[in-house]
Amino acid sequence: MHFGQDIALGVLRSVMAEVGLRGPLASSKFTVVRLTNDQILENATGVGAPPQTWPRSELAIDVLHKSVYGFVTGAVADAAVTVSV
């Protein structure tokens, strides 16, 4: 599930870069989208629990991992658009 979401949302981040939404602010916004998407799908399918019920350490790890993903994906998408322009 995570890999599928990452691939699908990576496309969204590349579209963001293509239309001019680039840099750290765009990557921050994308990270929020990634976190939100993950929680919606996990809770809708019944495999997750609401984040407010998680231990703080697990919540911190989840946010950290998705932040790394969001900013690395943003850097790659921004660089790819910059090279093609």
Side-chain angles (χ1 to χ4, degrees):
M1 188 161 122
H2 284 287
F3 291 124
Q5 289 181 67
D6 289 343
I7 291 167
L9 290 176
V11 173
L12 171 64
R13 183 60 180 90
S14 68
V15 170
M16 289 171 67
E18 185 67 33
V19 298
L21 297 171
R22 299 182 189 128
L25 182 59
S27 292
S28 295
K29 291 177 181 183
F30 176 69
T31 299
V32 171
V33 169
R34 177 63 182 93
L35 284 161
T36 303
N37 180 70
D38 187 55
Q39 287 308 306
I40 289 170
L41 288 176
E42 284 185 5
N43 290 305
T45 58
V47 297
Q52 63 269 23
T53 64
W54 296 9
R56 287 186 187 260
S57 60
E58 286 185 33
L59 186 58
I61 290 168
D62 192 53
V63 171
L64 174 68
H65 287 171
K66 289 186 177 72
S67 295
V68 169
Y69 164 77
F71 280 86
V72 170
T73 302
V76 171
D78 292 349
V81 170
T82 303
V83 169
S84 68
V85 172

